[in-house]
Amino acid sequence: MRRGGGPGRRAAGIAALLCGLAAASAPAADAPARGLADLSLEELADIEVTSVSRRAERLGEAAASIFVVTNEMIRRAGVASLAEALRLAPNLQVARIDAAQYAISARGFNNAIGNKLLVLIDGRTVYAPYFSGVVWDQQDVLLEDVERIEVISGPGATLWGANAVNGVINVITRAAADTQGSLAVFGGGNRDALLAGRHGGTLGTTGHWRAYAKLVRLENTRTASGGAVADGWERQQIGFRADWGDAQGGFTLQGDAYRGRAEHRGLLGPFELRPVEVAGANLLARWTRRAADGSDLRVQAYLDHTERDDAVLYRPTVDMVDLEFQHGMPLGAHRLLWGGGYRRARDDIQPGLFFGFVPPQRTLAWKNLFVQGEIALNEGLELTLGTKFEHNGYTGTEVLPGARLAWKPSRAHFAWAALSRAVRAPARLDRDLRLPPTPPFFIAGGPDFVSEVANVVELGYRAQPSTTLTYSATLFHHHWDKLRSGQLPPDAQVQNMIAGSTHGAEAWASWQPTPGWRLSAGLTTLRKKLHLEPGSADPVGPSNLGNDPTHQWVLRSAFNLPRRQELDIAVRGVGALPEPAVPAYTATDLRWGWRLRDGLELSLAVQDLFDAGHPEFGAPADRSEIGRRVALRLRWTP
Amino acid sequence: MDAVTPTRPARLRLRALVWAGLTGLLIGSGVECRAQAEPAAGEHAVKAAFLYRFAGYVDWPASAFAGAAAPLTIGVVGAEPLRTELQEVVRGRVVADRSVEVRKLAPGEPLAGVHILFLGRAEAGRVGALRSWLQDAPVLIVTEADGALAQGSMINFVVLDRRVRFEIALDAAEKHGLRLSSRLLAVAQKVTGGTP
C-alpha cells in the first residue's frame, strides 16, 4: 500500500537505496539484508515485510475475507484432527457427520459431498476430482507442525481456479528448519486417542528435514436412540519434508502416506457391507527463486494417489499428477503475476451397492493459465485485476475473472470491494453417476450437465484501531446460475436448473485487554434464495444443495494463568439446519494447559462440556450424536 | 432440457470474451503508470538487520567481554533462515570497535562469550526457560513470541501492520547489567518496567 507525505518519501528513499544496492553488488544473494543493516532503527521499523511465501503474504493484505488460524490457536484449542481445527475459523461451517466424516463449507451449500470449497495442503489440492469435494476422513496433518491455516471465504477462482467458488482453505506447514529436534504427543480420552512423533535434523549446510508419524483412533458414535454406529476409525499416517535453500530461493520435497479403516458394518440382507478402508500417498517437489529485482518464480509438481473402498457407496482409486508454475514481477509501482498449470487424473471407480460410474475408468485433464495485475492507482488505493482460463474435458475453457479494489486511508484501516466470477466445473459425479449401478436406473448421469456459475459481489472492512484490537467485517452477495438439479426417476438426469442468490455477513474481532488475556468473537449469517427454473422436474429442489444454518457465532477467551498455566474457554453456537431438520446447538469448550517444565506440556481439553450428545448433520433416523469429548494430552519436546 | 437452455452457453461465451478483453485491456494500460518502488523485504532480513543494529544501542558491562579484541557475539537458537541472513549482515562489520560474530546455539548451551541471544519462533516454547538458562549473565535476550516479555525476554519482535516492531522490558535488561540507549527506547513500540 502507498503511504502519504513524509513516510512516503522516506519509503521511496529506502526503495531507491535498496535498488541501488541490489544493482551495485554482484552477488545479488546478499544484497537485501546487508542493505537493510545500513538503515536507522526508525527506517527499519517502517519497512513492510513479506513472509517466506509471497503468495501467502499477498493474501494477508488481500482484498478478501481471510481468517488465519495460527499454530498457537490450534494448540490452545486442544483438537486432534485437521477438520476439528477448522472450527477455529469463524468463516467456515464445520458439521461433524460421524466419527471421522465432516461436512465443511463456507457461505453455505454444506453437504457430505460439498463441492464449492478448494482445500490445499502445502500447495497440493486435496479435493477428490470425481466429485470436486473433500473426503475429510482421508485428510490429516501433524497439527503441531502446521504454521497456519488461511481460510478465505468467497471466490478465489482467479488465482486458485475452478471450485474455489465459496472459499479456499490453505493449510501451510512449517518449514523443516522450524521443526528441528524431536516432538512426541500422547493423547487420550473418551472419544479418541492420539500418538504422534516427529524428528527433524539438518542436511548439509543449507538443508533441513523432518519426518513424522501419527496414529489416531476415533471411538464410534451413537444415534439418539443409543444404537452404536459402525464408524469407529483407525488411521495411520507418516510423512516427511525436506527444504534446501535460503531467502533467495529453495527446493522443497515432501510426501505423506496414510491408511485408514473403519469398523465392520455387518450385512444388509445378503450383502456384506465391509469396513470402509482408505489409503493414499503423495509426493511433492517445489522450487522457488526470488531475484534481487523483486521478481519471483515458483515451479511445483506432485503425484497423488488415493483409494477408498466403500462397499455401500462406490470404490474409487485415483492417480493424479499436477504441474504448475507462477511468476511474479514488479512493474514500477505495480506488480504482475502470471502462471499456469496442468493436472491429469486417472481414476477407476468400481461400483458399490448403491452407486456406479459409467464408464468406470476415465482419465481427465485440466489446463490453466492466469494473469493478475496489482495496479497502484493512487496513494492508498490499489486495484487488482486478473483472470484465469481453465480448460476441462467436459465444458472446455472456463473464464474466471476477478476485480478487487483495496483502499487504505491509513495504516489502521483497510476497506475493499470485489467482483468475481467463479464456476464449479462438472465432475464425474455430475456426469457419470448411476443409481443403482446397473439398469434400470433411478439416476442415469448428467450428459448435459455444465458448470455451475457464481457471480459475486463483496465489500469488506478491516481495522486495527490500537495494538490490542483488530476487527474485520465482510458483506457478500452471490448470484447463482445453473446449480445442480435432478429429475423425477426413472432415468433422471443431472441438470443445471436451480438458480438464485445467497447473501450474508462475516465478522470477527480480537481484543487483548492485558498481555496475558485475549478475547475473540466471530459471527456469520447466511440467507439463501434458491429456486427451480421453470421446466425442471426436480422432485426435491434446492434443499439437495446443502443444509445450512442462518447464523453461527463463537466467543473465545485465552487466558495465561500464573505458574505457566493456560485456561481457554470457547462458547460456540450454530443455528438450526432446515432440511433435514437439525436443532440449533451451543457448545462450550474448555482447555487447561500446564507447562510442567521446559518442553513438557500437559493439557486437559473438554469439548461440548454440558452436552452428552447433539446431532450436527444428517437425517434423524440414523444420524450420529456428537457430544462431550474429554482428552488428556502430553506434549514433549526433549 | 427445455428450449431455453441452448442459448445459454453462447451467451456465456460472449460474456466471457468481453470479460477477458476488458481485463487484458486494463492490465495493459496499468503497466504504463508511474514508477515508484515498493520497500519490501523478507521478515527474516529485517529482523536480522535489527539484531545487528541493536548492538549499537546497548552497553554491556566490561566483564561481558574477554578482552578489548573479543568479538561481539550474537547467538541464534531455532531460527536458521534468520541466522543465514544475519551472517551476511555482519560480515566485515564492526560495532564499537569489535568485530561481530554469529553463532548457532542449542537450547541450554552455555552462554559464555554471547552478548545477544535470539530465540526464534521454532523454539518459542522455551521462552519460559530463559530465566534459568540465562541466570544473571549479561546477555540481551531477543525473542519473537507473543507475551515473551513477561517470561524473561528483554526485546520482543512483533509484526504490526506488516512492519517489524519491537517491545522492550527495561527492568529485565537492567537486572542483567545492560544499559539500553534512550534512542532504542524511543523507537520501541512499547516499553515496560523501569523509567526510560
Side-chain angles (χ1 to χ4, degrees):
Chain A
M1 298 299 105
R2 289 338 98 163
R3 293 180 297 269
R9 271 199 309 281
R10 188 161 64 215
I14 295 166
L17 173 69
L18 283 174
C19 293
L21 280 165
S25 66
D30 66 8
R34 279 190 72 79
L36 289 172
D38 291 320
L39 302 180
S40 73
L41 290 172
E42 289 86 347
E43 284 167 332
L44 278 172
D46 201 32
I47 288 199
E48 288 190 28
V49 294
T50 54
S51 80
V52 183
S53 146
R54 293 192 72 93
R55 179 191 253 181
E57 190 56 37
R58 263 196 318 280
L59 289 173
E61 62 155 5
S65 182
I66 177 169
F67 184 88
V68 178
V69 177
T70 63
N71 177 284
E72 176 75 356
M73 288 161 69
I74 296 172
R75 185 181 68 79
R76 296 193 68 153
V79 294
S81 70
L82 176 60
E84 285 292 325
L86 294 175
R87 289 192 198 265
L88 288 162
N91 50 346
L92 284 182
Q93 286 80 51
V94 177
R96 194 168 184 172
I97 297 173
D98 63 19
Q101 298 196 67
Y102 287 81
I104 299 179
S105 183
R107 299 188 181 173
F109 296 91
N110 205 8
N111 201 319
I113 52 167
N115 54 23
K116 293 179 178 54
L117 198 61
L118 183 63
V119 183
L120 301 115
I121 298 177
D122 281 333
R124 177 174 57 89
T125 299
V126 299
Y127 75 76
Y130 53 87
F131 81 101
S132 20
V134 177
V135 189
W136 286 101
D137 60 17
Q138 291 186 249
Q139 311 304 335
D140 205 2
V141 289
L142 182 62
L143 291 173
E144 280 73 16
D145 287 349
V146 169
E147 175 162 314
R148 63 181 188 278
I149 304 174
E150 299 168 347
V151 178
I152 302 134
S153 42
T158 306
L159 268 186
W160 304 99
N163 295 48
V165 179
N166 268 355
V168 180
I169 297 176
N170 200 10
V171 180
I172 296 157
T173 69
R174 291 177 158 179
D178 293 332
T179 51
Q180 296 286 288
S182 302
L183 164 82
V185 182
F186 310 89
N190 67 331
R191 303 298 315 147
D192 48 57
L194 167 73
L195 183 61
R198 176 253 289 152
H199 186 76
T202 55
L203 290 165
T205 50
T206 62
H208 296 83
W209 65 276
R210 72 160 173 260
Y212 74 91
K214 179 175 182 178
L215 306 177
V216 175
R217 201 194 133 64
L218 305 174
E219 297 299 325
N220 70 283
T221 58
R222 291 184 177 276
T223 62
S225 57
V229 180
D231 60 353
W233 186 254
E234 273 180 4
R235 191 182 147 84
Q236 302 99 40
Q237 180 163 335
I238 55 172
F240 77 98
R241 172 168 172 164
D243 302 307
W244 292 267
D246 51 31
Q248 278 69 49
F251 181 74
T252 294
L253 187 68
Q254 65 185 101
D256 311 271
Y258 64 86
R259 209 169 52 177
R261 187 185 161 96
E263 294 172 288
H264 200 292
R265 291 177 293 186
L267 299 169
L268 182 69
F271 298 101
E272 186 188 355
L273 299 180
R274 299 207 309 271
V276 175
E277 290 187 78
V278 304
N282 62 77
L283 185 68
L284 177 144
R286 182 171 43 241
W287 180 79
T288 56
R289 181 79 215 156
R290 201 188 299 183
D293 65 359
S295 70
D296 57 81
L297 181 65
R298 193 178 84 121
V299 181
Q300 175 183 288
Y302 63 81
L303 300 169
D304 196 339
H305 170 85
T306 59
E307 49 187 79
R308 183 176 188 87
D309 183 357
D310 184 337
V312 176
L313 297 179
Y314 41 76
R315 298 179 290 141
T317 302
V318 184
D319 281 290
M320 196 150 63
V321 54
D322 185 291
L323 305 166
E324 62 177 76
F325 76 96
Q326 72 171 55
H327 181 217
M329 57 190 152
L331 290 169
H334 321 295
R335 192 168 174 83
L336 185 70
L337 183 73
W338 70 285
Y342 176 78
R343 172 182 305 149
R344 192 178 178 84
R346 187 184 62 205
D347 65 37
D348 180 356
I349 309 179
Q350 290 301 311
L353 190 56
F354 289 111
F355 296 102
F357 283 70
V358 177
Q361 288 107 12
R362 192 152 210 168
T363 300
L364 290 171
W366 296 264
K367 290 166 258 189
N368 75 75
L369 268 177
F370 74 90
V371 59
Q372 175 169 299
E374 292 166 18
I375 302 152
L377 294 174
N378 203 336
E379 293 287 331
L381 199 60
E382 187 169 275
L383 177 66
T384 303
L385 285 173
T387 187
K388 185 165 201 160
F389 303 91
E390 187 162 89
H391 185 274
N392 69 77
Y394 289 126
T395 61
T397 301
E398 300 283 354
V399 184
L400 311 166
R404 293 177 183 271
L405 187 66
W407 181 50
K408 200 169 187 186
S410 75
R411 271 191 202 173
H413 303 274
F414 183 82
W416 59 275
L419 289 172
S420 346
R421 175 183 191 268
V423 309
R424 205 274 299 175
R428 289 264 270 146
L429 185 89
D430 307 300
R431 287 283 186 118
D432 304 335
L433 187 77
R434 299 289 185 277
L435 168 71
T438 50
F441 298 123
F442 289 105
I443 299 176
D448 300 320
F449 186 84
V450 294
S451 294
E452 300 178 318
V453 181
N455 286 295
V456 183
V457 186
E458 296 170 279
L459 277 178
Y461 182 70
R462 284 200 291 269
Q464 183 170 14
S466 80
T467 56
T468 57
L469 178 68
T470 63
Y471 61 86
S472 167
T474 305
L475 297 173
F476 62 86
H477 181 94
H478 291 219
H479 181 268
W480 296 96
D481 204 6
K482 302 187 190 146
L483 288 168
R484 184 165 68 198
S485 63
Q487 279 182 327
L488 274 170
D491 283 327
Q493 294 202 343
V494 182
Q495 296 185 315
N496 297 86
M497 299 195 70
I498 294 176
S501 66
T502 51
H503 67 272
E506 296 158 338
W508 52 83
S510 167
W511 179 44
Q512 194 164 2
T514 72
W517 188 25
R518 183 184 292 275
L519 291 166
S520 49
L523 172 73
T524 59
T525 67
L526 176 73
R527 292 287 180 278
K528 290 161 69 177
K529 291 178 191 155
L530 300 173
H531 59 266
L532 277 171
E533 298 273 38
S536 169
D538 187 321
V540 183
S543 69
N544 250 341
L545 292 174
N547 200 8
D548 304 300
T550 56
H551 65 281
Q552 67 172 26
W553 54 270
V554 64
L555 296 169
R556 292 181 192 278
S557 157
F559 196 65
N560 292 340
L561 299 169
R563 296 179 185 273
R564 306 202 283 187
Q565 297 177 78
E566 299 164 336
L567 180 66
D568 298 280
I569 305 170
V571 184
R572 50 194 169 85
V574 177
L577 308 189
E579 212 176 329
V582 176
Y585 71 91
T586 303
T588 304
D589 304 335
L590 280 183
R591 176 185 169 276
W592 167 78
W594 182 26
R595 202 162 289 155
L596 299 164
R597 59 184 176 78
D598 192 22
L600 189 64
E601 183 191 85
L602 180 72
S603 65
L604 177 70
V606 185
Q607 263 130 30
D608 212 356
L609 175 66
F610 301 114
D611 187 3
H614 66 265
E616 296 192 358
F617 213 76
D622 54 356
R623 68 189 172 198
S624 291
E625 296 268 304
I626 309 299
R628 191 178 305 120
R629 166 183 181 261
V630 182
L632 196 64
R633 178 180 295 195
L634 197 64
R635 186 179 187 274
W636 185 40
T637 44
Chain B
M1 289 284 130
D2 56 17
V4 179
T5 319
T7 67
R8 273 209 195 116
R11 212 170 58 207
L12 173 67
R13 216 161 296 136
L14 180 68
R15 216 183 324 159
L17 272 174
V18 170
W19 260 109
L22 204 66
T23 319
L25 219 70
L26 282 166
I27 289 175
S29 66
V31 173
E32 299 302 317
C33 296
R34 79 210 139 81
Q36 177 198 344
E38 172 111 3
E43 187 181 327
H44 296 311
V46 174
K47 285 180 177 173
F50 263 126
L51 276 177
Y52 158 73
R53 297 293 294 183
F54 286 159
Y57 297 99
V58 177
D59 280 337
W60 278 266
S63 64
F65 294 94
L72 186 137
T73 304
I74 306 178
V76 178
V77 188
E80 274 307 285
L82 182 139
R83 191 177 63 88
T84 323
E85 299 268 10
L86 185 58
Q87 216 121 36
E88 287 302 325
V89 167
V90 305
R91 195 154 40 84
R93 289 191 192 263
V94 171
V95 172
D97 294 334
R98 294 180 191 276
S99 63
V100 184
E101 269 186 14
V102 175
R103 198 192 293 173
K104 180 179 178 177
L105 289 177
E109 201 173 312
L111 293 173
V114 174
H115 303 95
I116 298 179
L117 175 66
F118 178 70
L119 190 68
R121 206 172 283 138
E123 296 288 347
R126 299 186 190 271
V127 170
L130 278 172
R131 286 197 181 100
S132 60
W133 183 7
L134 201 60
Q135 306 211 331
D136 48 9
V139 178
L140 180 77
I141 302 293
V142 185
T143 52
E144 49 178 346
D146 281 353
L149 289 191
Q151 297 176 278
S153 172
M154 299 165 192
I155 300 187
N156 188 43
F157 285 124
V158 285
V159 177
L160 290 175
D161 188 28
R162 304 183 68 220
R163 286 161 178 84
V164 178
R165 310 295 302 277
F166 55 90
E167 45 189 25
I168 294 179
L170 194 57
D171 46 353
E174 284 171 345
K175 211 183 296 171
H176 289 263
L178 307 178
R179 283 187 24 224
L180 309 190
S181 93
S182 56
R183 180 80 196 291
L184 189 61
L185 301 180
V187 181
Q189 185 257 324
K190 190 170 82 180
V191 178
T192 62
T195 43

